[in-house]
Amino acid sequence: MCEVLAPGLAVSVLKAIFQEVHVQSLLQLDRHTVYSIITNFMGTREEELKGLGADFTFGFIQVMDGEKDPRNLLVAFQIVRDLIVKNYALGPFVEELFEVTSCYFPIDFTPPPNDPHGIQREDLILSLRAVLASTPQFAEFLLPLLIEKMDSDLQSAKLDSLQTLTACCAIYGQKELQEFLPSLWSSLRREVFQTASEKVEAECLAALHALSACLSRSVLSSDTEDLLDSFLSSVLQDCRHHLCEPDMKLVWPSAKLLQTAAGASLRTCHRVTRSVVPLLLEQYTKHPQSSQRRTILEMLLGFLELQQKWGHVEEDESALLALRAPVCTVVFSAMTDPSVQLQLVGIRALTVLGSLQGFLSPPDLELVVDHLLRLILHEEDSQSSEAAMEAVGSLAPLYPQMFSERMVPRLGEELQSEREEEGSRAPRSLRQRCLQALAAVSTHTSIVRETVPVLLQHLRQVQKGSEARNAQDVVSVCQSLHRVALQCQQDAESCWYYHQTVVPYLLAMAVQAAMQESTHPLLGKALLEEEALAAMVPVISAANTHLSPELAAQSVSHVVPLFLDGEVSFLPQNSFPCSFQPFEGGERFEAQRRLVALLMAFVCSLPRNVVIPQQERLLRELLALSCSCNCPFTATTAAKCFAGLVNKHPAGQQLDEILQLAVNRLEPSLAEGPHRTQALTLLLWVTKALVLRYHPLSSRLTDKLLGLLGDAELGPVAADGFSLLMADSPDVLHKGCHADVRIMFRQRFFTDNVPKLVQGFHGAGPDVKANYLKGLSHVLNHLPKPVLVTELPTLLSLLLEALSCSDRVVQLSTLSCLQPLLLEAPQIMSLHVDTLVTKFLSLASSPTMAVRIAALRCAHALTSLPTTVLLPYKARVIRALAKPLDDKKRLVRKEAVAARGEWFLLGSPGR
């Protein structure tokens, strides 16, 4: 309606309201109507209202004065803010406008229970703050009010005042702040020095940062005092001397204040740094104790990180550059100190120094590399060694040539000399550290080209031995290669180099080892161990996942013919003693068949749009191998490879034919014969592949799996298979390897199959009921908890029955499922509190440690139920929890202490 009013009528209406209506005597709804009229006119007739000049502002002040209803205040505050932001004339009424709004500061409002309007205290606080911090004209009235409220005893008032001050600094200048700076600094300093509240301290520091930034922004004229310099002088004068007392309680509050001020701008950073850093260097030398030095170095680190924040500014960095030598001396001395905690701070400081462009000279860099290498290889404490490796990973991309020339060769020499020593005398931890360091330093393309050949050469030497320990050495090398692969994934050049170099080399070594196993059983055994092959899988997978489709297609055109046709020409050192035929039968080819794990790693990690050559033939070979192989490792990897390819296979006739072939092969094998377990493994993996992509055949295969729960031989394995269906797989069928994983597949599986599980449980014989409970607990344990809470009333009785099952896996899975439900659905769970208390206390004495821990965590979680429900059980539970306090396992004792402590506090005042 506002739009159709004739020009001038809006002004007439408002004048009538201002002159004739005593708004605050009206009912709340009528007052709200008045505010709405004003809001609408301000949105549609702005120029007309501005023609009233300051009379409009004065009229609104009269309308708002005395308003108490929070619904109206939200609208009124918005009107005041619009008056200021849209430049309405305030005239001589600035102070009156401030008074009519500031009387509500700080907001003290608690919404009534079941408030239908949903207005929260925070809404009013933010709305009022937007008004108070909207104009510098309020500064002379607002700043004294803020200082007064900062000195109050109410924490809420302090926090609101500090947050409002921070907001005001965004629009204030030197002129507004000048008169109040000493009082503001005094209040901020006192709060940081004396407060016990982390929230108040954090807001004080935020306000100090905003003040310093505001003063830094202000333009100086030649005849004005530099307020920033005088303000920082006050800060330094009050805080600097506390830095000389590293054991006193004010040292860290002072350091925080100085670092906060220094972090506000480049000017503040150099002004504070110039004064404080030389003092800290001097104090480090004066205090010989490691604990004191650690405190001083941590403070120094804070100021160095501020230099890092502001980047490289040559003309302004002279202050820090002039201190380069003493700073480096202090940091290097910390890295040679016996105290591990001081070493750790030194390593962090070294990393920051290295990131300051142009700060470290070439001789300093050489010392940096030497110190890090010494800590990695020879420091007994693993914390320092790991921290040094992390520092190497951060600094290597900044100085690739230095690390390539000075660190990589020495790590290679350590590995070589360690290999040449006798195995009994060679410390494995040193070898492990060398391998981890080679991986850590590989964060730049040029370094990767140096480290990868060293790692591969070491792998070649390791696999020549036949000792049992060599399999673990292969795993260690593969873990380092995997880390390098992950670090290469974001750089296309590094990724392709790694793929070209590592994948053919690993395949060649594995093929050679498999052939040697056929002809010389004592050679190359380590590389064919399950743990070694399993460690090579993520290396090959990580080398593939980030390849471009073109390069991936180029690579797969070599690998698939290798396994199907024995085409070895692309492999390095490809003069093998016999042909490679991994899909052939007979014991002679058993070692070669194990390498299907590497084929799985390769083809199942390719992007979905990469065409795999001879895919139908490959699927048939994998299907046959997975159903007929006597080696469980080979049969499982063949099944996983088949499932991974089926999951990505385009829908259509070819996929339907392959799946029908698989079903025809599975059904007789599951019914009888020597390969029932292998057939069940294949069924599980193919079902998972189809469930993930919502394929129609998945329901038929799931029904077949449900039917196997009643099988005396395969039932327990089939029940555990439900965990496989619901959990994320680490090597195939996950999004990281480009599998087709549809959203909410777990919820869909739950909806389709849990009713069948429940029905099967009720109809099953007593000897197989546990299988249904195990399958159900696995499904529920992997279901998103919000979904589970909605279904809880119908399933809780079955879960409680599962706790009585003697199967440890069922117990553990059910306890893991119940613990979050106790926290998220206390009202439902409290209906069964008697049963829950009995079951948890009974399982707290289980012979299995993991079950005891889970039961004690559930007993702890019980305390989230309503106190009135729990109080009758308090004495009983406390008595029962005394026994696990003496458990022989530390982790069990830890959980018992936590649970018993909560039960002791049950019903205490203030809990």
Side-chain angles (χ1 to χ4, degrees):
M1 184 176 174
C2 294
E3 290 82 357
V4 299
L5 289 178
L9 276 181
V11 171
S12 301
V13 169
L14 287 181
K15 280 184 176 179
I17 290 174
F18 294 158
Q19 293 169 8
E20 307 296 336
V21 181
H22 184 240
V23 174
Q24 289 306 312
S25 65
L26 301 177
L27 295 174
Q28 179 273 326
L29 184 60
D30 295 331
R31 300 200 305 277
H32 192 276
T33 302
V34 172
Y35 294 127
S36 298
I37 291 170
I38 296 172
T39 301
N40 291 337
F41 282 155
M42 289 179 73
T44 58
R45 302 299 175 96
E46 184 176 327
E47 293 306 318
E48 289 183 36
L49 301 192
K50 285 183 176 179
L52 285 170
D55 290 344
F56 177 60
T57 303
F58 180 68
F60 177 73
I61 291 171
Q62 289 179 307
V63 166
M64 181 184 173
D65 193 12
E67 181 60 64
K68 293 179 181 178
D69 191 279
R71 292 165 287 181
N72 293 347
L73 283 174
L74 283 177
V75 185
F77 288 155
Q78 184 59 47
I79 292 172
V80 176
R81 187 173 186 279
D82 288 343
L83 279 173
I84 296 166
V85 172
K86 293 181 179 179
N87 295 317
Y88 283 78
L90 304 184
F93 305 115
V94 172
E95 185 172 359
E96 285 77 5
L97 187 62
F98 172 78
E99 291 295 339
V100 83
T101 51
S102 66
C103 62
Y104 301 100
F105 184 86
I107 295 288
D108 182 19
F109 168 68
T110 303
N114 305 317
D115 179 17
H117 307 288
I119 297 175
Q120 299 297 316
R121 178 170 175 269
E122 191 66 20
D123 300 329
L124 291 166
I125 288 174
L126 294 176
S127 187
L128 176 56
R129 185 177 302 152
V131 172
L132 298 178
S134 60
T135 173
Q137 295 180 71
F138 284 168
E140 61 179 305
F141 316 114
L142 176 61
L143 289 175
L145 175 64
L146 294 180
I147 292 168
E148 176 193 336
K149 299 301 180 185
M150 283 163 63
D151 297 342
S152 78
D153 295 329
L154 283 175
Q155 179 171 310
S156 59
K158 289 179 189 287
L159 292 172
D160 203 354
S161 302
L162 290 164
Q163 290 164 354
T164 304
L165 174 60
T166 302
C168 290
C169 287
I171 61 165
Y172 286 3
Q174 288 201 10
K175 182 180 71 173
E176 288 77 23
L177 292 172
Q178 183 169 8
E179 180 185 348
F180 305 99
L181 274 178
S183 300
L184 287 169
W185 164 240
S186 176
S187 297
L188 292 174
R189 181 192 65 215
R190 186 185 62 255
E191 288 301 326
V192 174
F193 280 179
Q194 296 178 3
T195 187
S197 166
E198 291 183 6
K199 286 184 180 179
V200 172
E201 181 186 270
E203 293 301 338
C204 282
L205 295 176
L208 176 60
H209 183 280
L211 273 175
S212 302
C214 175
L215 295 173
S216 301
R217 284 194 306 270
S218 300
V219 179
L220 296 174
S221 57
S222 56
D223 57 346
T224 58
E225 177 192 0
D226 185 353
L227 277 186
L228 175 65
D229 193 64
S230 60
F231 179 69
L232 291 179
S233 296
S234 299
V235 175
L236 286 165
Q237 179 181 342
D238 291 341
C239 297
R240 195 173 177 272
H241 62 280
H242 291 301
L243 304 185
C244 303
E245 303 163 339
D247 292 328
M248 304 303 285
K249 70 173 186 177
L250 291 181
V251 63
W252 273 114
S254 299
K256 287 177 184 177
L257 287 166
L258 288 167
Q259 287 168 3
T260 300
S265 69
L266 190 60
R267 282 183 66 199
T268 61
C269 181
H270 290 301
R271 173 74 173 85
V272 175
T273 300
R274 190 166 60 245
S275 172
V276 171
V277 170
L279 175 67
L280 291 175
L281 295 172
E282 177 189 333
Q283 293 303 311
Y284 186 92
T285 309
K286 280 185 178 179
H287 292 84
Q289 290 184 17
S290 295
S291 60
Q292 296 173 325
R293 288 189 161 191
R294 178 190 170 196
T295 301
I296 294 166
L297 189 56
E298 282 182 330
M299 291 189 287
L300 178 62
L301 174 61
F303 290 101
L304 294 176
E305 286 171 340
L306 292 174
Q307 292 286 335
Q308 185 184 31
K309 171 185 174 181
W310 293 109
H312 181 68
V313 185
E314 292 179 11
E315 63 271 18
D316 289 325
E317 283 198 338
S318 55
L320 190 61
L321 284 173
L323 298 168
R324 174 164 56 192
V327 168
C328 289
T329 302
V330 162
V331 173
F332 291 153
S333 76
M335 297 181 69
T336 56
D337 194 274
S339 166
V340 173
Q341 297 306 315
L342 184 53
Q343 285 178 12
L344 293 175
V345 182
I347 292 168
R348 286 164 53 205
L350 194 66
T351 307
V352 174
L353 289 181
S355 68
L356 296 176
Q357 186 181 349
F359 187 84
L360 295 175
S361 63
D364 289 333
L365 279 172
E366 291 180 2
L367 275 173
V368 167
V369 175
D370 292 346
H371 277 296
L372 291 174
L373 196 57
R374 176 185 55 78
L375 289 172
I376 288 170
L377 298 179
H378 304 299
E379 176 56 46
E380 291 182 9
D381 190 277
S382 60
Q383 277 184 289
S384 294
S385 179
E386 289 166 8
M389 288 187 207
E390 193 176 332
V392 163
S394 301
L395 295 175
L398 303 175
Y399 309 100
Q401 186 177 355
M402 180 65 71
F403 280 89
S404 288
E405 294 175 356
R406 199 164 182 88
M407 179 170 276
V408 177
R410 288 168 66 180
L411 289 171
E413 289 166 10
E414 285 285 345
L415 273 180
Q416 180 67 31
S417 61
E418 182 273 330
R419 272 200 311 265
E420 292 169 356
E421 295 178 11
E422 288 297 321
S424 59
R425 287 164 45 205
R428 174 165 294 185
S429 61
L430 178 61
R431 180 165 59 251
Q432 285 278 85
R433 287 188 179 190
C434 284
L435 294 172
Q436 290 168 0
L438 284 166
V441 78
S442 303
T443 49
H444 189 273
T445 305
S446 63
I447 304 177
V448 170
R449 292 177 180 273
E450 301 289 335
T451 55
V452 165
V454 174
L455 289 169
L456 293 177
Q457 180 59 29
H458 182 67
L459 184 61
R460 168 72 66 181
Q461 296 297 326
V462 165
Q463 70 103 17
K464 285 182 179 177
S466 58
E467 297 91 341
R469 72 176 180 87
N470 281 19
Q472 185 55 48
D473 290 341
V474 171
V475 172
S476 298
V477 181
C478 288
Q479 287 170 343
S480 291
L481 284 169
H482 182 231
R483 180 174 174 182
V484 177
L486 295 176
Q487 290 165 184
C488 289
Q489 285 179 343
Q490 304 309 316
D491 180 74
E493 182 187 349
S494 298
C495 190
W496 181 233
Y497 165 77
Y498 182 92
H499 181 89
Q500 284 181 299
T501 309
V502 174
V503 174
Y505 199 94
L506 289 181
L507 290 172
M509 287 177 59
V511 169
Q512 187 176 35
M515 292 181 178
Q516 286 175 342
E517 174 73 5
S518 305
T519 54
H520 303 87
L522 295 178
L523 293 176
K525 183 79 172 174
L527 213 58
L528 300 175
E529 296 285 341
E530 285 185 23
E531 56 181 328
L533 288 171
M536 293 168 71
V537 166
V539 177
I540 294 174
S541 181
N544 276 9
T545 51
H546 283 64
L547 284 181
S548 67
E550 297 76 21
L551 295 176
Q554 179 184 330
S555 191
V556 76
S557 66
H558 297 302
V559 173
V560 172
L562 167 68
F563 281 85
L564 289 179
D565 306 314
E567 180 55 62
V568 297
S569 58
F570 81 102
L571 297 177
Q573 303 171 358
N574 53 22
S575 55
F576 301 120
C578 58
S579 59
F580 181 58
Q581 299 170 293
F583 290 111
E584 287 295 320
E587 289 186 17
R588 192 162 66 90
F589 296 100
E590 184 179 340
Q592 295 186 19
R593 287 196 291 271
R594 296 168 78 83
L595 301 194
V596 171
L598 305 186
L599 172 67
M600 174 197 75
F602 192 93
V603 296
C604 291
S605 58
L606 294 170
R608 258 185 275 173
N609 55 354
V610 174
V611 178
I612 297 174
Q614 306 181 68
Q615 185 168 6
E616 308 311 312
R617 179 186 165 196
L618 179 61
L619 284 166
R620 291 170 187 272
E621 295 282 11
L622 289 166
L623 179 61
L625 182 61
S626 64
C627 288
S628 61
C629 184
N630 291 321
C631 171
F633 176 79
T634 303
T636 301
T637 51
K640 290 162 75 172
C641 188
F642 180 84
L645 291 174
V646 162
N647 174 264
K648 296 181 188 179
H649 199 294
Q653 184 181 352
Q654 285 185 328
L655 177 61
D656 294 340
E657 289 175 359
I658 283 292
L659 290 174
Q660 189 57 50
L661 186 66
V663 171
N664 294 341
R665 189 74 181 255
L666 278 170
E667 287 180 340
S669 299
L670 285 169
E672 58 182 0
H675 298 118
R676 294 188 74 201
T677 304
Q678 289 90 325
L680 176 56
T681 302
L682 177 63
L683 173 64
L684 286 168
W685 281 103
V686 174
T687 304
K688 182 177 178 71
L690 299 182
V691 164
L692 291 179
R693 62 179 282 177
Y694 291 176
H695 192 279
L697 185 62
S698 63
S699 58
R700 179 181 163 191
L701 296 183
T702 307
D703 289 343
K704 193 174 292 296
L705 191 59
L706 287 165
L708 288 171
L709 292 174
D711 188 286
E713 179 190 352
L714 294 181
V717 183
D720 282 329
F722 281 88
S723 176
L724 185 151
L725 294 180
M726 298 292 284
D728 291 323
S729 172
D731 42 12
V732 295
L733 297 178
H734 61 89
K735 289 185 178 180
C737 64
H738 311 289
D740 186 357
V741 181
R742 302 297 175 88
I743 190 171
M744 297 174 73
F745 77 90
R746 291 185 179 89
Q747 288 90 319
R748 179 169 175 168
F749 187 87
F750 170 85
T751 305
D752 291 346
N753 296 293
V754 164
K756 298 176 185 177
L757 274 169
V758 174
Q759 183 182 353
F761 169 80
H762 290 305
D767 53 334
V768 293
K769 276 186 179 289
N771 296 336
Y772 289 90
L773 287 176
K774 184 188 287 189
L776 178 66
S777 66
H778 283 315
V779 173
L780 299 182
N781 201 27
H782 290 94
L783 197 67
K785 293 303 176 278
V787 179
L788 184 52
V789 167
T790 61
E791 302 290 338
L792 189 57
T794 57
L795 295 172
L796 189 53
S797 59
L798 276 179
L799 284 171
L800 296 176
E801 190 162 346
L803 290 177
S804 302
C805 180
S806 59
D807 189 306
R808 304 300 180 212
V809 176
V810 177
Q811 292 173 355
L812 188 58
S813 181
T814 308
L815 288 168
S816 302
C817 183
L818 286 172
Q819 185 193 350
L821 293 177
L822 289 164
L823 303 173
E824 295 174 27
Q827 297 303 324
I828 299 172
M829 302 296 280
S830 62
L831 300 175
H832 302 268
V833 65
D834 189 71
T835 307
L836 290 168
V837 168
T838 304
K839 299 288 188 187
F840 295 158
L841 294 182
S842 171
L843 291 173
S845 303
S846 166
T848 307
M849 183 183 80
V851 173
R852 296 201 300 276
I853 290 174
L856 288 167
R857 286 177 178 165
C858 286
H860 189 169
L862 273 175
T863 57
S864 64
L865 302 188
T867 304
T868 52
V869 175
L870 296 176
L871 281 175
Y873 303 92
K874 180 176 178 179
R876 174 186 165 193
V877 173
I878 290 173
R879 278 198 309 273
L881 291 179
K883 182 181 176 184
L885 292 177
D886 294 325
D887 198 280
K888 60 184 177 181
K889 295 293 185 182
R890 180 184 61 83
L891 294 176
V892 177
R893 297 195 300 271
K894 177 184 173 186
E895 295 296 338
V897 167
R900 200 162 185 255
E902 281 298 313
W903 276 90
F904 262 119
L905 294 173
L906 199 68
S908 302
R911 184 182 179 273

